[in-house]
Amino acid sequence: MEHRSLRRVKGWIGLAGTCLLIAVLVVPTLAQDGQPKIEIKKVAPYKPDGGTGIVGNISGTVSGIHADKCQCKVVLYAQTNMWYVQPYDTSADTDIDGKGNWTSQTHGGTTYAALLVKSSWKAPATLDKLPAVGGDVLARATKEGQH
């Protein structure tokens, strides 16, 4: 009788351990506070006419996620008469490193935007207004160009 009870306890412990391992490896895309955030640290120059040439770098950080496990990316926009995806509509995805940092090149604009989005989100080449946070858009930040 004792051996059967001991086997049953070991079985439950094994099952609990397996469930915990799955939870640790699969579920944790959000960090403990559960609120993804994106911040623009360095911004390109203020250039109201935009233009086709690269004018500078833009960089920042994300927090509130496990950057090395999250299926996320950063999408950047520069605003002139509308929002234009950066650096090019054919290469709009900006990777996040394991420490939550991101960096890219950008064309000119008056204001710059960084969106933290799910990897499956497809960036429109232009926007009249930025998308609201929700669904595939996890966080959003804007910053005026450097004067």
Side-chain angles (χ1 to χ4, degrees), residues 3 14 25 30 50-51 63 66-67 86 102-103 109 113-114 127 137 139:
H3 294 292
L25 294 177
L30 295 179
S63 60
H66 292 287
Q86 299 298 309
W102 54 268
T103 188
L127 295 168
V137 179

Side-chain angles (χ1 to χ4, degrees), residues 47 50-56 86 88 106-108:
K47 191 169 181 192
T52 57
I54 295 291
V55 297
Q86 299 298 309
Y88 303 102
T106 185
H107 296 86

Side-chain angles (χ1 to χ4, degrees), residues 31-143:
Q32 290 179 354
D33 69 1
Q35 294 298 317
K37 295 180 181 86
I38 189 163
E39 184 176 357
I40 300 171
K41 298 278 189 175
K42 180 183 176 191
V43 72
Y46 181 90
K47 191 169 181 192
D49 296 332
T52 57
I54 295 291
V55 297
N57 292 321
I58 183 170
S59 60
T61 59
V62 297
S63 60
I65 63 165
H66 292 287
D68 55 341
K69 297 177 184 171
C70 183
Q71 299 274 326
C72 304
K73 63 186 177 185
V74 173
V75 175
L76 303 168
Y77 284 89
Q79 184 183 38
T80 54
N81 61 328
M82 61 178 34
W83 291 100
Y84 293 90
V85 73
Q86 299 298 309
Y88 303 102
D89 60 356
T90 57
S91 60
D93 299 350
T94 299
D95 293 329
I96 305 164
D97 72 18
K99 294 182 180 180
N101 300 305
W102 54 268
T103 188
S104 183
Q105 294 181 315
T106 185
H107 296 86
T110 57
T111 306
Y112 299 89
L115 306 176
L116 176 62
V117 297
K118 293 181 182 176
S119 295
S120 59
W121 193 73
K122 302 291 183 210
T126 60
L127 295 168
D128 290 327
K129 64 179 186 171
L130 294 172
V133 173
D136 286 349
V137 179
L138 305 174
R140 179 176 93 169
T142 59
K143 191 168 188 176

